[in-house]
Amino acid sequence: MKSNVRPGLTRGLIALMAAACGFAVANVYLNQTLLVDITGTFGATEAEVAIVTTLTQVGYALGNLILVPLGDIFERRRLILALLGVTSLSLVSAALSGSITWLIVSNFCLGFTTVIPQIIVPLAAGMADERNRGKVLGTVAIGLVCGILGARFVSGLVDSFWGWRSMYWISFGCTLLLALLIQLRFPVSKGTTSLPYRGLLLSLGPLFIKEGVLRRACLSQGMVFGSFSVFFTTIGFMLQAPPHSYSSAVVGLVGLVGIGGAIATPLIGRIIDKKGASFANKMCMLVALISFLIAAPAGHWLPALILAAFLLTVGTQANQVACQANIFNLSASARSRLNGLYMVCTFLGGALGSYLGVWAWSRWHWMGVCICGMVMISVGLSTALGNKKWREQPQTISS
């Protein structure tokens, strides 16, 4: 039987890449289920504690802008290990936080250095055969889905038994283990561009302006991921307030059901390989929009919220695969820069969604949250529907 991957990209390595992406990205999301208890610890308001998760995602966006392009210059395994080292220090700092300001700064630094998945994904894309790139990206994205949603469930469970600080210590131990596995199993890679770092950063603006495919992908996933943050940043406030009054463990469980959405990422990869990213992109955004149409009128019915969480996760994560498959076709030598710009916009959208979600909740509660999410998705969907030719002819990007 003919292998679906190139010789250097074994199934075991793909699985490790998926796991590494999951464990690394979990650090960005573990604080979302902890917000209620963090509020109690420091006597902060809901608006103040929302800055914790908002600046974590802002830090992640900046890390994608400043650090991820280094993957086009340096050997990626060494770069990943260096970032994991700084990430572990940020986790210790968060666990020892003595004030809300200290915790905010620690989480910002955590988000800034936890960009490992966005260095791994271009590496996987470059090692994959063009005919199977969508499938490989979809498989690696399973780890991202499980990390994002598993972080909420595990952090909620840990918080219920041992408190929110314990979650940061557990993540610290997992980060050290991940660093060991990467040191032992990841391949040695080479930089793909001769540009110096300053030239690399200066190339980002012209690259963004030049590539319409990249701009549309950024807007699409930025808005969809923003709606994802709107939902999951505020659902804890609703479920832990009357009439529900659930524990943080139950809040995490609602997020966990979305892991079932991981099955959609390899499926969307196959759809991309067969029907193209334009079809997949529009389909994913429609699924995300439907999730809010379900959640809005049934916010106090837990089964409806679980279904909405599942569909929103499917739409968000599958849309990320569709958009990345499109931008990686633009240039092999600029994949880290393309992915860095793409993820900057994605997580700026996520940070905006986190802030707007808490703002809408504080004024109009759950219905306001759902309307906010639907508006964000509609902005991205209108751009995709208004563009008749999503897939442009790739242009040559100077290395």
Side-chain angles (χ1 to χ4, degrees), residues 52-138:
V52 175
T53 186
T54 299
L55 286 190
T56 303
Q57 295 187 68
V58 170
Y60 194 85
L62 289 176
N64 274 278
L65 180 65
I66 296 171
L67 299 177
V68 169
L70 292 172
D72 283 339
I73 300 177
F74 296 121
E75 197 278 307
R76 286 178 175 136
R77 183 179 66 176
R78 185 176 298 177
L79 177 60
I80 290 169
L81 290 172
L83 291 174
L84 285 173
V86 182
T87 295
S88 65
L89 295 177
S90 299
L91 288 164
V92 171
S93 177
L96 297 174
S97 295
S99 67
I100 189 66
T101 302
W102 183 350
L103 183 63
I104 288 170
V105 172
S106 298
N107 276 273
F108 173 81
C109 294
L110 181 62
F112 183 71
T113 57
T114 312
V115 293
I116 290 94
Q118 308 318 320
I119 298 171
I120 293 174
V121 170
L123 176 62
M127 296 179 71
D129 187 278
E130 288 186 6
R131 295 169 297 176
N132 304 102
R133 184 167 292 141
K135 181 181 178 182
V136 171
L137 290 174

Side-chain angles (χ1 to χ4, degrees), residues 202-397:
L202 290 175
S203 72
L204 295 178
L207 186 61
F208 186 81
I209 293 170
K210 180 181 181 181
E211 297 297 339
V213 169
L214 174 62
R215 293 195 304 273
R216 286 190 291 276
C218 289
L219 180 62
S220 172
Q221 185 62 5
M223 291 295 99
V224 172
F225 189 67
S227 73
F228 183 86
S229 294
V230 164
F231 184 95
F232 281 104
T233 300
T234 56
I235 195 171
F237 292 119
M238 186 182 71
L239 291 179
Q240 290 180 273
H244 294 296
S245 300
Y246 291 123
S247 69
S248 56
V250 175
V251 177
L253 184 61
V254 172
L256 183 66
V257 301
I259 285 183
I263 62 174
T265 53
L267 175 61
I268 207 71
R270 293 185 178 93
I271 292 174
I272 292 166
D273 290 334
K274 292 182 178 179
K275 294 192 174 183
S278 178
F279 175 81
N281 171 246
K282 294 169 187 174
M283 181 180 68
C284 293
M285 285 192 285
L286 285 173
V287 170
L289 184 61
I290 290 170
S291 72
F292 279 102
L293 293 175
I294 293 173
H300 295 295
W301 190 37
L302 189 58
L305 288 176
I306 291 173
L307 176 61
F310 173 80
L311 291 176
L312 182 58
T313 304
V314 168
T316 302
Q317 298 306 320
N319 192 59
Q320 177 162 312
V321 176
C323 292
Q324 283 179 319
N326 231 339
I327 65 173
F328 287 153
N329 284 332
L330 294 174
S331 170
S333 64
R335 283 193 178 117
S336 288
R337 279 172 285 167
L338 290 166
N339 196 52
L341 285 167
Y342 168 74
M343 294 309 300
V344 167
C345 296
T346 296
F347 276 85
L348 285 178
L352 177 64
S354 294
Y355 179 81
L356 291 179
V358 176
W359 177 78
W361 168 260
S362 66
R363 286 162 175 77
W364 305 294
H365 296 284
W366 187 243
M367 185 57 69
V369 168
C370 291
I371 291 174
C372 183
M374 286 187 281
V375 168
M376 294 190 81
I377 295 171
S378 297
V379 170
L381 185 58
S382 63
T383 302
L385 293 175
N387 183 69
K388 295 181 180 180
K389 190 178 181 183
W390 169 277
R391 189 181 295 276
E392 298 176 348
Q393 290 295 325
Q395 301 177 38
T396 302
I397 300 173

Side-chain angles (χ1 to χ4, degrees), residues 133-164:
R133 184 167 292 141
K135 181 181 178 182
V136 171
L137 290 174
T139 303
V140 172
I142 292 176
L144 287 168
V145 176
C146 292
I148 291 170
L149 299 174
R152 294 188 178 92
F153 171 69
V154 174
S155 63
L157 195 63
V158 169
D159 180 42
S160 294
F161 287 98
W162 301 295
W164 62 268

